[in-house]
Amino acid sequence: LAGGADTIRQALERGLARAARIFTLPIRIGAGIRLFEEAQPCRDRWTLESVRALACGTTEASYRIGG
């Protein structure tokens, strides 16, 4: 599944994702749509599996999602 924060948030809320790779790009601080809301309950079911820093400054974080 690829898409913006709204598309991904809807899939997470419906339990349709088992893994996630989130790329953080150093473009602008404080801009964009939040993927996680402050009280979103799904965050406690995520397990960080790996983090990779790319030469361009982008960070890739891979998570397993589930109980």
Side-chain angles (χ1 to χ4, degrees):
L1 175 66
D6 288 331
T7 303
I8 296 167
R9 189 180 310 121
Q10 289 175 32
L12 292 171
E13 288 170 355
R14 290 171 176 77
L16 300 175
R18 293 186 189 158
R21 286 187 351 192
I22 298 176
F23 293 84
T24 305
L25 294 88
I27 296 174
R28 191 187 221 183
I29 296 175
I33 299 170
R34 291 178 182 253
L35 176 57
F36 301 107
E37 294 297 325
E38 301 255 345
Q40 188 174 14
C42 74
R43 288 186 294 184
D44 62 351
R45 298 187 330 240
W46 289 49
T47 302
L48 180 63
E49 294 190 323
S50 66
V51 176
R52 183 171 69 138
L54 306 177
C56 62
T58 299
T59 303
E60 174 190 2
S62 296
Y63 295 89
R64 182 173 28 92
I65 303 170

